[in-house]
């Protein structure tokens, strides 16, 4: 995928996400309210003890703090293995960018969580749109898939993990359906945009690094890595 197409897709996703959030603020009858409410009621009516335990476990394991720690460990592990910055920095950049955008949307939209009666356990009262859990894990697994060449198996695994975490947040009543859909949009847009943010930073760093670190950002091999990733 060329840089121009990548940027257009990322912008398109963000326009959809922002439009969804803004419509919830300015439109008296929120267009997606019916789907959000019916999904929440359906989940509420179909809860079981084993599913509740599974959803709670997923929500705990993939909490934003643990995703952040996994991102840092994975990114620096990849940098150490590659002895280059590009792939690890892009993963780190994608998750950081997704987190910043998600927090900005939370503050801007200021959407309430589903009513406490629908939530499992202690009610979550923080802003609802979008989901931090889903944004973080979706950005991480798809950035990792892109770093590995975006093979079909990696994309399928990333999709399954994202869907599982999104389902757990819906099941626990912590978010509306549109919250998790918006999260996926933010995450994918961030993964697409990350190379366009990270690569110029690496280019800027190149002449300022000590000689012993120059091989990590040499233009030759780094260009080949970037071209390979953009064509997958």
């Amino acid at each position: 995928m060329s840089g121009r197409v990548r940027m257009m897709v990322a912008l398109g996703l963000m326009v959809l996400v922002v439009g969804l959030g803004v419509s919830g603020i300015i439109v008296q009858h929120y267009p997606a309210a019916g789907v959000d409410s019916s999904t929440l009621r359906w989940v509420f009516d179909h809860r079981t003890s084993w599913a509740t335990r599974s959803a709670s476990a997923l929500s705990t394991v993939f909490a934003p703090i643990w995703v952040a720690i996994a991102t840092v460990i994975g990114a620096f592990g990849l940098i150490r293995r590659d002895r280059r910055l590009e792939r690890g920095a892009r993963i780190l950049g994608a998750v950081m960018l997704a987190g910043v955008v998600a927090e900005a949307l939370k503050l801007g939209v200021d959407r309430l969580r589903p009513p406490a009666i629908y939530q499992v356990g202690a009610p979550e009262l923080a802003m609802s749109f979008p989901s931090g859990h889903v944004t973080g894990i979706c950005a991480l697994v798809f950035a990792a898939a892109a770093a590995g060449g975006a093979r079909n198996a990696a994309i399928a695994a990333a999709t399954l993990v994202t869907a599982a975490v999104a389902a757990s947040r819906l099941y626990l009543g912590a978010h509306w359906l549109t919250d998790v859909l918006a999260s996926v949009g933010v995450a994918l847009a961030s993964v697409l945009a990350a190379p366009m943010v990270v690569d110029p930073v690496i280019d800027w760093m190149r002449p300022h690094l000590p000689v012993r670190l120059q091989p990590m950002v040499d233009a030759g091999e780094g260009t080949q890595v970037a071209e390979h990733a953009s064509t997958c």
Side-chain angles (χ1 to χ4, degrees):
M1 183 184 295
S2 69
R4 183 182 179 85
V5 174
R6 186 188 296 267
M7 176 61 80
M8 294 300 294
V9 174
L11 287 175
L13 286 171
M14 285 310 305
V15 167
L16 289 174
V17 170
V18 172
L20 187 62
V22 170
S23 67
I25 300 173
I26 64 176
V27 179
Q28 183 176 3
H29 299 291
Y30 188 42
V35 176
D36 278 337
S37 298
S38 60
T39 301
L40 186 64
R41 287 194 298 268
W42 186 91
V43 169
F44 183 77
D45 292 336
H46 291 82
R47 283 177 177 153
T48 62
S49 58
W50 70 267
T52 299
R53 289 193 297 271
S54 298
S56 297
L58 279 172
S59 190
T60 299
V61 170
F62 294 107
I65 182 61
W66 298 118
V67 171
I69 292 172
T71 299
V72 172
I73 293 173
F76 281 96
L78 192 57
I79 291 170
R80 181 179 177 83
R81 191 186 74 175
D82 291 349
R83 297 186 182 277
R84 297 195 57 81
L85 288 180
E86 284 86 358
R87 295 202 298 167
R90 286 179 178 184
I91 292 174
L92 190 60
V95 178
M96 290 178 62
L97 182 60
V100 169
V101 173
E103 286 302 312
L105 285 169
K106 280 180 179 290
L107 292 172
V109 176
D110 195 23
R111 188 182 192 188
L112 295 176
R113 298 267 182 168
I117 190 174
Y118 289 104
Q119 297 190 41
V120 174
E124 297 188 37
L125 303 176
M127 294 163 285
S128 185
F129 183 97
S131 165
H133 281 70
V134 180
T135 300
I137 192 59
C138 183
L140 174 56
V141 294
F142 276 96
R151 294 179 176 84
N152 291 338
I155 294 174
T159 302
L160 287 174
V161 171
T162 300
V165 177
S168 74
R169 301 304 286 162
L170 288 173
Y171 181 91
L172 296 174
H175 285 285
W176 306 99
L177 176 63
T178 46
D179 294 341
V180 299
L181 294 178
S183 302
V184 173
V186 170
L188 294 180
S190 299
V191 171
L192 290 170
M196 293 175 281
V197 175
V198 171
D199 292 0
V201 173
I202 294 176
D203 289 340
W204 175 85
M205 290 171 55
R206 186 171 289 118
H208 302 288
L209 288 176
V211 174
R212 64 186 182 84
L213 296 180
Q214 286 293 331
M216 297 185 70
V217 293
D218 280 347
E221 187 178 342
T223 300
Q224 294 175 6
V225 171
E227 289 175 353
H228 173 71
S230 68
T231 56
C232 296

